[in-house]
């Protein structure tokens, strides 16, 4: 007798409404549910340093806005909360919905690694693939423990690693004209 084949459970954006507001972060990538606890103090401090640097530049140039932990609803099966995003003013007018969530890719997404192999795999593999497929132009993976930043840039329709920056290096980007940030300043 044949056993019925069970289908994979695919979580949706609507399912997120069912979860309690308990301090956990719930994300869906390709219908898979990811749950993370509140991050380490140094993780959050690094997010603040990155967003402050980007915000100072944005305030000076007037080219866009930076936000920490925004919701990005790419679709019913892809709903994530990156640590930091930057979007140009032009993209923001196209992406923000009435609930204040992004509905598409901002130009820049930053993820600060949390401890644990599952968390690292989510950011280095699943989110890299998602952001690449959805049109993010630049993706920074920040490791506050190693004090380094991996920079991925869109090349031929996908995100490719173009640099790994360390304490003595400067971070700049072709999508952020005249933006410069000392890597060391992100971790002090």
């Amino acid at each position: 007798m044949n056993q019925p084949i069970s289908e994979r459970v695919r979580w949706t954006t609507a399912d997120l409404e069912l979860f309690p507001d308990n301090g956990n972060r719930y994300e869906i990538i390709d219908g898979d549910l990811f749950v993370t606890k509140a991050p380490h103090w140094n993780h959050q401090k690094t997010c603040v340093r990155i967003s402050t640097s980007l915000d100072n530049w944005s305030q000076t140039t007037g080219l866009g806005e930076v936000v920490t932990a925004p919701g990005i609803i790419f679709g019913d099966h892809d709903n994530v909360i990156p640590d930091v995003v930057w979007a140009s003013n032009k993209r923001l007018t196209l992406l923000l919905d009435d609930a204040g969530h992004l509905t598409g890719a901002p130009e820049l997404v930053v993820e600060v690694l949390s401890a644990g192999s599952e968390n690292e795999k989510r950011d280095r593999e699943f989110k890299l693939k998602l952001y690449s497929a959805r049109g993010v132009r630049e993706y920074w993976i920040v490791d506050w423990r190693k004090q380094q930043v991996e920079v991925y840039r869109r090349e031929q329709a996908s995100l490719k690693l173009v640099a790994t920056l360390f304490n003595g290096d400067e971070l700049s980007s072709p999508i952020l004209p005249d933006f410069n940030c000392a890597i060391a300043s992100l971790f002090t």
Side-chain angles (χ1 to χ4, degrees):
M1 183 153 81
N2 290 338
Q3 293 282 20
I5 298 173
S6 63
E7 289 189 34
R8 172 183 141 207
V9 172
R10 289 185 51 93
W11 296 88
T12 68
T13 297
D15 293 326
L16 294 177
E17 298 298 323
L18 304 174
F19 294 106
D21 187 8
N22 59 5
N24 287 338
R25 182 180 287 184
Y26 300 95
E27 298 178 296
I28 300 170
I29 302 172
D30 192 27
D32 290 330
L33 179 66
F34 294 84
V35 182
T36 55
K37 297 186 184 299
H40 189 282
W41 178 271
N42 289 333
H43 173 283
Q44 296 301 83
K45 189 168 82 170
T46 302
C47 290
V48 168
R49 297 271 166 79
I50 292 166
S51 62
T52 298
S53 183
L54 286 167
D55 191 50
N56 289 339
W57 175 84
S58 293
Q59 293 290 326
T60 301
T61 64
L63 294 177
E65 295 182 24
V66 63
V67 174
T68 56
I72 303 178
I73 303 169
F74 288 115
D76 207 28
H77 297 285
D78 292 306
N79 187 326
V80 293
I81 306 170
D83 290 314
V84 179
V85 302
W86 181 85
S88 67
N89 294 324
K90 182 178 179 182
R91 294 276 308 151
L92 277 175
T93 61
L94 301 172
L95 298 180
L96 277 178
D97 67 11
D98 291 338
H101 297 111
L102 296 172
T103 58
E107 283 90 344
L108 171 66
V109 174
V110 181
E111 294 287 359
V112 178
L113 294 177
S114 293
S117 60
E118 285 184 32
N119 291 326
E120 282 203 32
K121 184 174 184 171
R122 181 193 62 234
D123 291 346
R124 291 185 182 282
E125 293 178 30
F126 299 123
K127 284 189 172 182
L128 174 61
K129 182 179 174 184
L130 174 66
Y131 297 149
S132 189
R134 295 298 185 150
V136 169
R137 290 183 54 200
E138 193 159 305
Y139 179 38
W140 300 346
I141 298 177
V142 181
D143 188 331
W144 60 268
R145 287 173 187 83
K146 293 181 180 177
Q147 299 192 354
Q148 73 180 33
V149 177
E150 295 172 8
V151 177
Y152 293 81
R153 288 198 182 114
R154 181 158 296 286
E155 293 180 4
Q156 300 174 352
S158 67
L159 291 168
K160 305 281 188 206
L161 180 64
V162 296
T164 301
L165 305 173
F166 301 95
N167 237 342
D169 295 327
E170 292 276 324
L171 177 60
S172 62
S173 170
I175 64 171
L176 307 169
D178 299 322
F179 173 80
N180 245 337
C181 175
I183 295 297
S185 72
L186 301 177
F187 307 111
T188 56

